[in-house]
Amino acid sequence: MPELPEVETTLRGIEPHIVGKTFRQIDIRQPKLRWLITPQLTEDMVGEKVTHLSRRGKYIIVHTAKGCMLIHLGMSGSLYFVPEQTPPLFHDHVDFQITDGDKWLRYTDPRRFGAILWTTENWQDHELIAHLGPEPLSDFFSGEYLYTKAKGRKVPIKTFIMDSKVVVGAGNIYANEALFMAGISPSRMAGKISKARMIRLVECIKIVLDAAIKQGGTTLKDFVGGDGKPGYFKQELAVYGRANKPCKVCSKPLTEIRQAQRSTVYCTKCQT
């Protein structure tokens, strides 16, 4: 599943090629994604110039003077460029044809859990956006914030930091890695963690996400960025996907458990 670094990588890959350009045509071959792509998308966006791109959580927002297109990659979606007239494959659902270019921006999504939505209202008030917690790389996301938010919470810390209402972007891969770096057991109750350890955890979340973005995300199956290149952060993973392999710090075999139906890998010696 594309997580925040993969989405940020995608945004950075496509941004230079579509900002300032106009959509001359949008070909929707499969409108039935997680939510139906409405005809208003093509009616409003064709002929509109892209002013800028932004990201909120795992949503890429394409801004025009008339409104905004919100794109979510879901579990298997990707955006990348193909030479114009490239025949679509079965899972290639949408093509965005752009002026002043010889490539099309193509949206592919085998599982169709992604979304392409259009709004002419304030995008920050959209029902899918308004409830989101702070961005993890922002100054607002601090140890003080996380410690205060966790007071009284009887939920495992890994589940807690993966809650998008608490903070966006600390998905499963990166939550595993940040907790290992911080030396915190993923099963420890959020409300029982000291402020000092929360400060360290926030630092680690920022370090892990920043490193993943610089590496272009994590390629676990078939993720590629907007430039068509794979991510390389998988080579840096300390615990995720390494169940029963030796801990890189103490050499003890790593333990795997299930939390909220997601795989959690950690070191029972280094993480307490």
Side-chain angles (χ1 to χ4, degrees):
M1 178 186 295
E3 297 185 9
L4 187 147
E6 289 75 39
V7 177
E8 181 67 24
T9 298
T10 298
L11 184 151
R12 295 183 184 187
I14 67 176
E15 186 175 34
H17 305 285
I18 68 172
V19 171
K21 305 294 178 63
T22 300
F23 287 108
R24 70 184 184 209
Q25 185 173 327
I26 301 176
D27 296 328
I28 302 173
R29 288 178 289 274
Q30 174 55 271
K32 296 179 180 179
L33 302 180
R34 186 172 183 179
W35 296 282
L36 188 70
I37 302 176
T38 64
Q40 189 181 6
L41 176 72
T42 53
E43 293 170 4
D44 284 359
M45 282 206 69
V46 171
E48 282 292 299
K49 180 181 290 187
V50 177
T51 59
H52 63 289
L53 268 61
S54 63
R55 180 190 54 74
R56 185 72 175 97
K58 292 197 275 187
Y59 289 90
I60 294 173
I61 300 95
V62 180
H63 300 261
T64 73
K66 187 177 288 186
C68 297
M69 177 170 61
L70 279 60
I71 302 175
H72 195 291
L73 300 179
M75 296 184 69
S76 60
S78 59
L79 280 168
Y80 56 96
F81 289 97
V82 296
E84 59 181 349
Q85 306 302 331
T86 299
L89 300 178
F90 184 74
H91 297 301
D92 296 339
H93 303 315
V94 183
D95 280 344
F96 299 92
Q97 299 182 26
I98 304 163
T99 58
D100 303 325
D102 58 357
K103 294 181 179 181
W104 293 346
L105 180 62
R106 177 161 286 174
Y107 177 79
T108 299
D109 189 353
R111 296 193 183 184
R112 288 195 284 154
F113 283 175
I116 299 177
L117 306 169
W118 173 257
T119 180
T120 55
E121 305 296 327
N122 184 342
W123 66 271
Q124 297 181 70
D125 294 332
H126 194 282
E127 61 181 349
L128 297 173
I129 301 289
H131 71 281
L132 295 177
E135 291 288 328
L137 298 179
S138 68
D139 291 339
F140 186 85
F141 182 58
S142 66
E144 178 71 37
Y145 162 82
L146 196 62
Y147 176 73
T148 301
K149 199 78 174 175
K151 283 184 178 179
R153 295 295 302 272
K154 297 179 180 180
V155 61
I157 184 61
K158 178 170 175 275
T159 304
F160 181 69
I161 62 174
M162 286 182 62
D163 184 348
S164 63
K165 294 180 181 179
V166 174
V167 59
V168 297
N172 194 43
I173 297 171
Y174 305 107
N176 274 276
E177 295 299 307
L179 286 165
F180 175 76
M181 184 181 290
I184 298 174
S185 168
S187 299
R188 182 171 289 278
M189 295 296 103
K192 298 293 185 179
I193 298 175
S194 69
K195 183 186 291 187
R197 299 192 85 191
M198 282 297 198
I199 291 172
R200 175 57 181 161
L201 177 56
V202 167
E203 290 175 350
C204 292
I205 290 172
K206 292 176 183 282
I207 290 170
V208 166
L209 290 175
D210 185 62
I213 290 170
K214 289 177 178 176
Q215 291 286 341
T218 303
T219 299
L220 294 178
K221 289 188 178 178
D222 56 2
F223 169 75
V224 294
D227 57 2
K229 297 178 181 178
Y232 295 102
F233 190 69
K234 184 179 180 180
Q235 300 172 25
E236 308 295 330
L237 296 176
V239 288
Y240 186 86
R242 299 190 66 246
N244 301 315
K245 293 183 178 180
C247 172
K248 292 185 177 182
V249 174
C250 72
S251 298
K252 184 176 182 179
L254 297 173
T255 298
E256 182 175 23
I257 59 174
R258 302 290 292 183
Q259 290 180 301
Q261 301 180 335
R262 306 298 298 276
S263 170
T264 296
V265 182
Y266 70 109
C267 178
T268 56
K269 182 177 179 181
C270 295
Q271 295 172 255
T272 59

